[in-house]
């Protein structure tokens, strides 16, 4: 069984209810968080205040920054026990449309579970499932027959010789059109999650300005940063000489 505390990625950040709104905002800035757990003099949880509360319920309504933070906090706070099964946390997030859940060991605050923590956990699990598939694609690329001049033939067209599908930010991802009349698709790789350069890649597509995570298939290749500009320049020069 996986308990919620094992997934929490950062310690809780608290503020006493007697502190001012301005001080609470400074604490958020200092710790790089968007919410603070509000406590009483005995360090017991009495509420939660978010950056959205400060802006919409504070600044927008003219509440002075010198007022105590408990004027803005939410007092009805959903919490999780530190030893509760993680599956229950998914249910609470789903049923109540929350972004954060304080985690308690008895009355003691021991963490804050965020929706981001769950998304990161799920992304890592998915990456573990997809990685063998990506390696299989790479293995197929290695077996692709290459003719003279480094050109690999596919169907009735001719496509560029394949490289291992590994990349760095700034490289160009090319998805080759596999059917007659279908153009190649190009995108700039903005982010590579794996230290070894394996997929998935965050790609900005040139034909739509859409940005998405992509696992390249067998019809893809990666052109290192600078090589695509050279290819484009060569194409422009060739067009000009006709």
């Amino acid at each position: 069984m996986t308990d919620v505390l094992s997934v929490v990625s950062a310690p809780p950040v608290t503020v006493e209810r007697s502190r001012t709104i301005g001080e609470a905002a400074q604490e958020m800035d200092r710790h790089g968080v968007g919410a603070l757990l509000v406590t009483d003099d005995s360090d017991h949880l009495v509420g939660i205040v978010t950056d959205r509360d400060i802006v919409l319920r504070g600044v927008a309504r003219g509440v002075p920054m010198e007022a105590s933070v408990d004027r803005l906090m939410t007092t009805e706070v959903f919490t999780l026990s530190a030893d509760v099964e993680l599956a229950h946390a998914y249910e609470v997030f789903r049923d109540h449309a929350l972004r954060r859940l304080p985690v308690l060991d008895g009355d003691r605050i021991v963490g804050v579970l965020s929706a981001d923590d769950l998304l990161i956990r799920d992304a890592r699990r998915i990456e573990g499932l997809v990685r063998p598939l990506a390696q299989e694609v790479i293995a197929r690329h290695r077996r692709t027959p290459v003719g003279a001049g480094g050109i690999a033939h596919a169907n009735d067209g001719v496509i560029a010789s394949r490289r291992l599908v590994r990349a760095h930010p700034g490289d160009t991802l090319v998805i080759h059109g596999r059917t007659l009349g279908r153009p190649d698709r190009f995108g700039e790789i903005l982010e590579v999650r794996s230290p070894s350069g394996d997929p998935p890649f965050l790609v900005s597509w040139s034909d739509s300005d859409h940005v998405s995570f992509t696992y390249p298939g067998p019809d893809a290749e990666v052109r290192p940063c600078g090589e695509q500009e050279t290819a484009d320049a060569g194409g422009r020069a060739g067009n000009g000489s006709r």
Side-chain angles (χ1 to χ4, degrees):
M1 182 184 76
T2 302
D3 59 55
V4 297
L5 193 56
S6 66
V7 182
V8 172
S9 61
V13 182
T14 63
V15 63
E16 292 185 3
R17 66 186 307 167
S18 58
R19 300 283 292 277
T20 68
I21 297 170
E23 289 172 329
Q26 291 173 355
E27 284 297 300
M28 289 182 185
D29 181 52
R30 183 177 301 114
H31 293 278
V33 297
L36 300 174
L37 303 183
V38 185
T39 61
D40 60 17
D41 294 338
S42 301
D43 289 332
H44 293 154
L45 180 68
V46 294
I48 186 170
V49 63
T50 68
D51 48 7
R52 183 179 176 86
D53 292 331
I54 292 176
V55 173
L56 298 184
R57 299 169 65 180
V59 176
R61 299 180 182 179
V63 179
M65 291 294 101
E66 294 76 22
S68 59
V69 73
D70 60 4
R71 288 187 58 178
L72 304 182
M73 71 179 184
T74 298
T75 56
E76 296 181 1
V77 182
F78 287 92
T79 63
L80 294 171
S81 175
D83 58 358
V84 75
E85 190 171 355
L86 187 61
H88 178 63
Y90 281 90
E91 295 174 358
V92 176
F93 277 113
R94 179 196 64 202
D95 295 342
H96 301 284
L98 300 170
R99 292 188 58 193
R100 307 172 184 88
L101 286 169
V103 180
L104 304 181
D105 182 4
D107 291 333
R108 186 169 62 93
I109 303 170
V110 293
V112 177
L113 180 69
S114 69
D116 291 347
D117 292 330
L118 299 185
L119 291 173
I120 291 170
R121 177 178 183 271
D122 289 344
R124 287 172 176 167
R125 295 175 68 185
I126 292 172
E127 182 181 0
L129 293 173
V130 172
R131 182 176 295 276
L133 300 178
Q135 294 299 330
E136 181 181 345
V137 170
I138 291 172
R140 286 203 300 269
H141 289 182
R142 287 172 175 165
R143 296 194 297 268
T144 301
V146 179
I151 300 298
H153 295 265
N155 298 331
D156 295 328
V158 178
I159 58 178
S161 175
R162 300 289 190 251
R163 295 183 176 85
L164 296 181
V165 186
R166 292 178 178 169
H168 298 86
D171 292 348
T172 298
L173 180 65
V174 184
I175 308 297
H176 291 286
R178 300 295 295 270
T179 59
L180 184 63
R182 183 177 180 181
D184 291 350
R185 193 180 188 201
F186 298 85
E188 180 185 357
I189 297 174
L190 303 179
E191 182 179 342
V192 179
R193 291 293 180 87
S194 169
S196 61
D198 292 335
F201 308 140
L202 184 64
V203 179
S204 175
W205 298 104
S206 61
D207 58 356
S208 65
D209 292 329
H210 182 65
V211 176
S212 64
F213 275 103
T214 301
Y215 283 91
D219 56 348
E221 69 165 312
V222 171
R223 295 179 181 173
C225 181
E227 182 174 309
Q228 182 60 37
E229 287 81 353
T230 301
D232 292 343
R236 289 192 296 269
N239 292 336
S241 64
R242 293 178 184 176

